[in-house]
Amino acid sequence: MTGSTEDYAPHPHIGGRTAALRALAAWRAAAPGAPRVVVLTGDAGSGRSRLLTGFLMLCEPEYRKQLPLDAMDPSTVPPELPAPAVPSAEGLTAAQVLWLIADHFGLRATGVQGVYAELAALDEPVTVVVPDVDRAGPVRAADEPARLVREVLAPLAATGTVRLMAEVPRPLAAEVTEGLPPGTAQIIDLDAPEWADPDLLVRYAQAALDPEFGAPELPFTVDPAARLALGAAIGRRAGSPLVVQLAVHCALMAPEGFDPADERFLPTSVGTALDLHARRLGTDSQTLRLLLAPLALAEAEGIPVQLWSRLASAVAGHDMSPAIAGGMLLAGPFVQPVEVPAEAGEGSDGSAEGDSADGERTLLRLLHPALAEEIRAGLPNVSAAQTQIAMALLEAVPDQDWGKADPYVRDHIAGHTLEAGLLPQLLTDPGLFVHADPVPLRAAVEAVPLEQLGAPARTYLRTAPLLTRTQAPTLLRAALLETAFVEDGLPEYAEAIHGRLGLDLPWQTLWSLPVAGGVSAVTVGSLPGAEGAGATPVAVLVVPPGTPGARPVGAGAGGGESGTTAEGGESGTTAEGGKSETAVLVHHLVQPGLLDDADLDRIVRPSEEERAAAPLGLSRGGDYLRVWNRADQEVVAALISDTPFTAADLSPDGILLVATERGAKALRIRAAGAGIAS
């Protein structure tokens, strides 16, 4: 092989990059001397995503059938093998990417180290390709790409049974391969001379201008000579595939007055693409950059179209709506609309402004992250701009009711306030905790130093893993946060969830008692009053000896004819059923407070007949409890926990007593309320 490509057809999706494709094909084939780990990098806009996409087409059996393999350079075509694992990192946390890999290979590990141990113990090597590392994370300011490299990619690279390829931003590329033996890894930098392909830019520009591939019919696109000459000029001046794309977009979307022979308006960088386009349309570049600033600062898939004017005006400090109203020719080459499904219940009437009649909503985002980098770099103060955006988003919440807020405002204001340095001040509203998507909110809160968080935010941070693991809907989030606030001594926040949010929760947490060493068994009962006075409902908690306020008792305390078993039967004591010398606390069942002087011998437990006649029944697993109507077996409440339940009991009148290794709590079940599925 001489290295000549003249007799071969280029990859139809890539159009070139032969040297890089040869290296990737050798990696895929595990050819002699080929590295086990390949890191694909380059400047933003260098075409690394396009190259990796084209290569993966060659690795996927169904896509291979659609490619002209016989006409391509054989050294660029990998052998036909089972498709590799391809966990895209876009929008995901490092942990989510790792568990995608674990799921793909059917690993049984329950912890991070177990995943790497199982991979290392495999009999045959496995292949993993991780694209879009630069787009990792639900919140941009949380710097998830760096965490993904350090916590997932570097350990994978160090695992000898893993053949790894990753598309990584240049500043992080060396961290993936650091410490690996010589010859194990290779970094392919598409901007380095040995991997660059200048002819690719010309071919890309000429194809993008061709009406056969979707370009509009214009004088400089339908005339082959003019098209080829313009494409050659664009490709010669452009520094990357992205700049080619921007140059073509600017010419095609605003062709009036465009002179293909005037190379002064052909950009050489992302920044000059912005500046030259604005100048050609008779506008100053700053106006264009301010129009695009909200998109450069946006989270997730982009901002709702109806918020664009409000946020651009906030960043600019003056009304930008006239510029936006007539500015689509100006901004259009750099903006990409995205249609996403509208959420049920958006806004007060079930829809959000800007939603289409067919149930979709339009988001706007920049064409490429490199545009965002360029625009952000030109802002005088990114933190100040984010502050203005955050204030504008807050003003867009109807009646300061997060349940009525636009989904973008509700789910992503935390990302904006994080970069503005204002997130701790925002984390005082239980309505936001309840209604916001817990994935981006958790990521944003975790990025704040713990000492800067107030008590409500710490409760949210403690509860968030449970919310994200279960993908809890709004009502279940509210219920779990309500009980968490009571557990953490913040009853006013629990009351706010009950009183201000208008949600029909399945329970009300009556009290919570922390116990060092946990509670191993519980039972409900009643303490008869003196001389005909009403009985006092009580909770008997079996705790470790030496617990402050506890009284030592003999073997079997707390058991006998009450408590629940792991399967929900109404007899037994602990999850393990063990009986040993221990101690008990007696607590009011329906209100906070210990009964230090209660006579244990006088406590009356519900009879089996009373339990059988009660309207509600209880079932229990390791990390869930379900309360159900005996009449129709319908679940009326489901409680899940981030730590295993050690014991539970249900009083005949519907008070659920729960114990974990952290302590005990009591919840009044509202059987008439909406049911919850766990």
Side-chain angles (χ1 to χ4, degrees), residues 457-616:
R458 293 184 184 215
T459 295
Y460 182 84
L461 196 59
R462 176 176 71 80
T463 312
L466 188 61
L467 306 182
T468 55
R469 175 171 64 85
T470 60
Q471 299 181 331
T474 301
L475 192 60
L476 181 54
R477 290 201 297 266
L480 294 173
L481 285 166
E482 183 265 0
T483 196
F485 283 131
V486 174
E487 287 176 342
D488 291 351
L490 299 170
E492 66 275 19
Y493 282 85
E495 285 302 317
I497 291 177
H498 280 290
R500 184 158 60 83
L501 303 189
L503 298 172
D504 190 11
L505 301 188
W507 63 69
Q508 180 178 14
T509 306
L510 302 175
W511 53 265
S512 177
L513 180 69
V515 177
V519 176
S520 60
V522 297
T523 184
V524 299
S526 60
L527 192 62
E531 299 179 358
T536 301
V538 298
V540 180
L541 316 176
V542 179
V543 297
T547 298
R551 284 171 282 176
V553 295
E561 300 175 358
S562 59
T564 58
T565 69
E567 299 303 321
E570 294 178 354
S571 62
T573 55
T574 69
E576 295 78 19
K579 300 189 178 191
S580 61
E581 197 73 28
T582 184
V584 299
L585 293 169
V586 181
H587 194 285
H588 283 283
L589 183 60
V590 296
Q591 65 191 45
L594 291 169
L595 295 169
D596 295 326
D597 57 352
D599 186 346
L600 294 176
D601 293 331
R602 299 185 64 234
I603 294 176
V604 179
R605 291 157 178 150
S607 67
E608 292 300 321
E609 291 76 13
E610 289 176 301
R611 291 181 181 277
L616 300 177

Side-chain angles (χ1 to χ4, degrees), residues 20-83:
L21 273 176
R22 284 174 179 159
L24 300 187
W27 167 84
R28 178 65 170 144
R36 181 175 55 81
V37 176
V38 169
V39 177
L40 189 62
T41 191
D43 288 335
S46 62
R48 60 181 190 242
S49 294
R50 189 177 187 89
L51 171 62
L52 187 55
T53 299
F55 175 69
L56 288 173
M57 290 178 178
L58 294 165
C59 298
E60 211 287 325
E62 291 303 314
Y63 272 108
R64 283 176 67 98
K65 298 175 183 177
Q66 304 172 33
L67 297 175
L69 301 185
D70 292 341
M72 294 172 59
D73 184 339
S75 66
T76 67
V77 179
E80 187 167 4
L81 298 167

Side-chain angles (χ1 to χ4, degrees), residues 653-673:
D653 58 350
I655 305 297
L656 177 62
L657 182 60
V658 179
T660 70
E661 59 190 32
R662 287 200 299 255
K665 59 188 174 185
L667 298 82
R668 186 188 303 278
I669 303 301
R670 295 177 168 177

